[in-house]
Amino acid sequence: YQYRLDLYGGGDEKTAPRIRSVKVPYQEINLSPEVSDVRVILLDPKGSLSDGAERPGPRVNIKWRGTDPNDDGLQYVIDMRAPGEPTWRTVVRDLADAEFSFDSRYLPDGPYEFRVTASDESANSPGKGLSGEGVSDAFTVDNTPADFLDVSTRALATPPGDGKDATWHIDLRARDTVSGVRRIQYSVDISDWVSVDAADGLFDGPEERASFDVKTDTEAGPEHMIILKVVDGAGNTATIKKLMRK
């Protein structure tokens, strides 16, 4: 801004007008806050459990970037909805920090969107506050392991020269409708996990099948325990036990 004062008066120094001070009242124009980079991730629960205590679930962690052109202090409100729903539901309000987390088990399995609204109302006169918002990408909550649909086992004939080993053929089918089946593994007598291939070559769907052979050492005893494990896209695991005797 610029201003000019034109002064008129006497012709000598004693009578000439003088400027001793200038005051220019000014009110800054309020601009809307901005919310960007709204990210949602899962955090593993931490801490030990006492006897009988309920195990905490993974935590939904929401972070974002809030800025204000006037450097006003901001407060945040977080809302959520399933994609396509018309109504947003408030999760928390009056947040000062640009981060919030909660136990994911408060939500049924499925996809969700989170909206973060920033307001500078507390830093401005009543009715003069402004707001801005940002929305996350869809985020899937999945706390339920996959289901074993079918599991069948049968003994195979022992190949010549392989007398100390017994071979078992296993067919299984598993399903996870939320995040899909991503891995099938087995372990013999608490040994390291061994991954097997999907019957169609790729674990990329809600229902998958695997067919594979497992060897057990008969010299170590006539009975062996085979653990089968299915891992879904959210990292949930389901296991079953099969006792093999030959």
Side-chain angles (χ1 to χ4, degrees):
Y1 295 96
Q2 293 179 324
Y3 63 89
R4 185 180 73 180
L5 295 176
D6 294 321
L7 306 178
Y8 302 94
D12 55 49
E13 291 185 3
K14 292 183 178 181
T15 59
R18 296 179 181 181
I19 301 173
R20 296 188 181 277
S21 66
V22 176
K23 294 182 179 180
V24 182
Y26 170 73
Q27 182 177 8
E28 187 177 30
I29 298 174
N30 192 27
L31 300 175
S32 297
E34 296 181 357
V35 176
S36 60
D37 196 22
V38 181
R39 293 168 292 162
V40 186
I41 61 173
L42 273 184
L43 298 178
D44 288 333
K46 297 180 180 180
S48 58
L49 294 178
S50 58
D51 224 14
E54 185 177 2
R55 181 177 298 277
R59 298 189 68 79
V60 176
N61 181 259
I62 309 165
K63 289 185 176 181
W64 60 92
R65 184 171 180 265
T67 57
D68 187 272
N70 308 104
D71 291 327
D72 290 338
L74 298 177
Q75 289 188 316
Y76 302 100
V77 176
I78 298 178
D79 303 302
M80 55 155 285
R81 69 178 181 185
E85 287 184 347
T87 303
W88 290 94
R89 295 169 176 80
T90 299
V91 178
V92 65
R93 59 177 70 250
D94 298 330
L95 283 175
D97 297 327
E99 182 178 6
F100 180 73
S101 64
F102 63 94
D103 192 326
S104 63
R105 294 178 305 168
Y106 281 110
L107 300 176
D109 290 351
Y112 296 91
E113 296 173 329
F114 293 90
R115 181 181 68 185
V116 178
T117 303
S119 171
D120 63 6
E121 185 175 356
S122 62
N124 289 275
S125 302
K128 300 295 184 181
L130 298 174
S131 63
E133 65 182 43
V135 178
S136 73
D137 293 332
F139 175 81
T140 299
V141 172
D142 181 6
N143 288 319
T144 305
D147 294 318
F148 287 93
L149 300 180
D150 301 305
V151 179
S152 64
T153 61
R154 59 186 173 89
L156 299 180
T158 302
D162 205 11
K164 71 173 185 176
D165 290 335
T167 303
W168 309 89
H169 184 76
I170 299 176
D171 278 296
L172 72 84
R173 192 164 53 96
R175 178 172 58 201
D176 188 291
T177 58
V178 179
S179 59
V181 175
R182 293 295 176 265
R183 191 161 65 252
I184 294 177
Q185 298 175 303
Y186 72 85
S187 169
V188 179
D189 296 330
I190 319 297
S191 60
D192 292 338
W193 291 107
V194 178
S195 296
V196 301
D197 294 330
D200 61 2
L202 189 64
F203 290 111
D204 60 352
E207 186 173 313
E208 296 288 352
R209 179 177 168 269
S211 181
F212 53 95
D213 295 339
V214 178
K215 287 186 176 182
T216 58
D217 185 357
T218 56
E219 290 186 352
E223 185 175 84
H224 295 272
M225 179 175 65
I226 297 178
I227 305 296
L228 304 173
K229 179 170 72 172
V230 177
V231 184
D232 68 13
N236 300 305
T237 62
T239 57
I240 60 171
K241 175 179 71 175
K242 292 292 182 179
L243 295 179
M244 305 298 192
R245 186 176 182 88
K246 188 172 183 180

